[in-house]
Amino acid sequence: MQFAGKVALVTGGGSGIGKATCELFAGRGGAVVVADVNEAAAAATAEGIRKAGGRAIAVRCDVTVWDQIQAAVDRARKEFGGLDVVVNCAGILKGHLLEETPEAEWRQVLDVNLTGAFLVTKAALKAMREQGGGAIVHIASRMAIRVKENHAAYAASKAGVLQLT
């Protein structure tokens, strides 16, 4: 699949699956907004893409903060003229036995993994509808359907991502 003329916003684009997604999309002709809470990692991914001849910009984006999400969507539209694809890849994994999971940790995992995907999707849908369409990809996990001991919050968040999709 080629992506010439397409613009993608990838959350969690500074490392792991998100970084690989950014590199693949750019390597196939698309422009990429590398969004990550770790600004240095996002910048490194974008710089690597540009050095390889691709088009990419980095934006700091905490997927739990609406203003940062909207700013990332706006940058995609301003810098590259639109927004065709969103890949919700930002996520965190923390684990404890359920009865030992601190409430703050539970909330943080669900906020980043599930609410973050919801918020990014919400912002992107408005932009995509204005331009006539687009595609949104959510990255879940096999733990969405089969939990691993010590990972209840993560599994619950990824099961929620499946249903959001």
Side-chain angles (χ1 to χ4, degrees), residues 74-161:
D74 292 345
R75 282 284 306 275
R77 297 173 85 187
K78 180 181 176 189
E79 297 286 331
F80 298 124
L83 180 60
D84 303 293
V85 177
V86 168
V87 180
N88 281 305
C89 214
I92 57 174
L93 172 65
K94 294 186 176 188
H96 290 89
L97 290 172
L98 182 63
E99 66 272 18
E100 295 173 4
T101 301
E103 184 179 340
E105 180 178 293
W106 175 272
R107 290 184 187 281
Q108 180 190 30
V109 172
L110 267 72
D111 282 350
V112 172
N113 296 358
L114 178 56
T115 304
F118 159 71
L119 292 172
V120 173
T121 298
K122 181 178 174 179
L125 281 173
K126 184 176 188 294
M128 289 177 172
R129 284 194 173 120
E130 288 174 3
Q131 71 182 39
I136 298 174
V137 177
H138 295 124
I139 304 300
S141 166
R142 65 186 171 132
M143 274 202 269
I145 55 175
R146 184 173 176 162
V147 70
K148 187 175 171 183
E149 187 178 23
N150 298 335
H151 292 93
Y154 181 80
S157 72
K158 293 303 184 171
V161 167

